[in-house]
């Protein structure tokens, strides 16, 4: 005779064996550029039905030139539904109307928050990899990021330097962000707070010139006729403080996303630190 406990266990086992297995998604659509870059690293190419239009734009793509080879959408519900997805990856800033349509039609979708730390970003890699049934690829990316972070960490006794990211229009990364953490891990202390920046935004050029950081992690002006925002990066005033501030090229695409992007971010931050220290030693 079955005891009550054994009956419950047997019933649970029957329920588990009868449950339909979760099917591997074959048509995945991403509506977020930072999810795009994770997706292309962990999914099979054949699984990706479309990525976001941001990943097709050279100035905003964190994937790089290869991003232009993927189909894309502008996030409209009509575009997404026409692709017949069996999984949609969305972010907090993805179109609410499209998210509502997906829910109404019962199309599986996963919503991701914006990671504020490196660990949150790595966990997001793990979540996306599991969602596309490629968990081992997610763990491989995570291992690569951790290796890059270890290689970029300053050796004991290395002097710390002040730095800010400085992109088109004077756009800088505030303290308390994932980029702020990346800078600290690589031996650079974010100087944005001393200019009064509490949220990611613009720093007036006048403040920067009056009190330059040790390192300026600067974006690059667009080729051709630059916009007003681009002119900030090439303003003569920055040249006048060159002896007190090392300027390092730091593409703005590295400030947008985490995940696999952190590998190149760590490398370039470490290079900027070492170049600035070498310049200081040679002065």
């Amino acid at each position: 005779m079955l005891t009550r406990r054994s009956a419950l266990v047997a019933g649970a086992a029957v329920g588990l064996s009868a449950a339909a297995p979760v099917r591997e998604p074959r048509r995945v659509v991403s509506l977020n550029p930072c999810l795009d870059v994770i997706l292309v690293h962990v999914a099979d190419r054949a699984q990706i039905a479309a990525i976001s239009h941001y990943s097709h734009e050279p100035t905003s793509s964190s994937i790089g030139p290869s991003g232009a080879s993927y189909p894309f959408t502008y996030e409209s519900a009509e575009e997404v539904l026409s692709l017949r997805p069996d999984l949609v990856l969305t972010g907090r800033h993805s179109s609410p109307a499209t998210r509502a349509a997906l829910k109404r039609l019962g199309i599986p979708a996963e919503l991701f928050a914006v990671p504020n730390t490196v660990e949150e970003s790595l966990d997001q890699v793990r979540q996306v990899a599991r969602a596309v049934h490629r968990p081992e690829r997610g763990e491989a990316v995570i291992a690569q990021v951790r290796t890059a972070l270890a290689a970029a960490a300053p050796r004991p006794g290395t002097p710390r330097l002040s730095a800010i990211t400085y992109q088109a229009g004077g756009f800088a990364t505030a303290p308390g962000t994932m980029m702020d953490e990346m800078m600290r891990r690589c031996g650079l202390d974010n100087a944005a707070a001393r200019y009064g920046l509490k949220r990611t935004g613009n720093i007036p050029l006048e403040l920067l010139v009056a009190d330059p950081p040790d390192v300026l992690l600067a974006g690059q002006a667009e080729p051709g006729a630059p916009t007003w925002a681009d002119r900030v990066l090439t303003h003569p005033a920055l040249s006048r403080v060159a002896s007190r501030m090392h300027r390092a090229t730091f593409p703005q695409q590295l400030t947008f996303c985490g995940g696999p992007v952190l590998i190149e971010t760590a490398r370039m931050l470490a290079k900027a630190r070492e170049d600035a220290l070498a310049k200081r030693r040679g002065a």
Side-chain angles (χ1 to χ4, degrees):
M1 178 181 290
L2 289 174
T3 65
R4 176 176 173 79
R5 182 167 181 245
S6 60
L8 288 172
V9 171
V14 171
L16 288 173
S17 64
V22 178
R23 191 174 63 181
E24 175 184 303
R26 297 180 181 276
R27 297 189 60 77
V28 184
V29 173
S30 168
L31 303 182
N32 177 279
C34 294
L35 298 175
D36 292 348
V37 71
I38 298 174
L39 183 64
V40 301
H41 276 78
V42 301
D44 292 347
R45 175 71 186 240
Q47 287 181 289
I48 304 174
I51 57 178
S52 76
H53 65 95
Y54 298 104
S55 293
H56 267 240
E57 299 170 8
T59 58
S60 62
S61 174
S62 294
I63 298 175
S66 65
S69 66
Y70 291 86
F72 69 97
T73 76
Y74 285 99
E75 290 190 58
S76 72
E78 293 79 9
E79 286 179 297
V80 175
L81 296 177
S82 71
L83 292 168
R84 297 175 289 106
D86 50 14
L87 176 63
V88 180
L89 307 180
T90 69
R92 295 290 181 188
H93 300 295
S94 298
S95 166
T98 299
R99 285 162 50 190
L102 296 172
K103 183 176 182 180
R104 187 169 61 250
L105 295 172
I107 296 174
E110 291 208 22
L111 178 63
F112 294 84
V114 176
N116 292 313
T117 68
V118 169
E119 287 304 317
E120 286 179 5
S121 180
L122 297 183
D123 191 51
Q124 196 169 85
V125 171
R126 187 173 286 115
Q127 292 175 52
V128 173
R130 287 175 178 169
V132 298
H133 290 218
R134 299 292 184 271
E136 72 288 348
R137 293 184 190 168
E139 295 306 320
V141 169
I142 290 170
Q144 290 168 10
V145 172
R146 294 199 190 283
T147 297
L149 288 171
R155 295 182 296 276
T158 301
R160 297 191 67 83
L161 302 175
S162 62
I164 62 166
T165 60
Y166 201 67
Q167 305 299 325
F171 197 76
T173 303
T177 59
M178 181 166 57
M179 178 55 67
D180 175 70
E181 179 186 346
M182 286 294 294
M183 292 167 68
R184 284 187 281 107
R185 282 174 175 258
C186 296
L188 302 171
D189 295 324
N190 193 351
R194 81 189 197 201
Y195 305 113
L197 197 69
K198 296 180 180 178
R199 299 175 59 186
T200 295
N202 297 336
I203 293 178
L205 182 63
E206 295 78 9
L207 291 179
L208 186 66
V209 172
D211 183 20
D214 295 321
V215 181
L216 185 72
L217 300 163
Q220 294 173 291
E222 285 296 295
T227 64
W228 174 87
D230 288 324
R231 291 193 191 106
V232 172
L233 298 175
T234 57
H235 198 285
L238 290 177
S239 300
R240 291 199 291 269
V241 294
S243 62
R244 301 158 55 197
M245 178 183 72
H246 173 69
R247 177 168 177 160
T249 298
F250 193 76
Q252 66 174 350
Q253 291 92 330
L254 297 181
T255 67
F256 298 149
C257 301
V261 180
L262 297 180
I263 297 171
E264 181 65 4
T265 300
R267 187 189 72 80
M268 293 204 72
L269 288 174
K271 183 179 186 305
R273 179 197 69 224
E274 290 305 307
D275 288 349
L277 289 172
K279 180 179 179 181
R280 178 180 289 186
R281 289 191 294 268

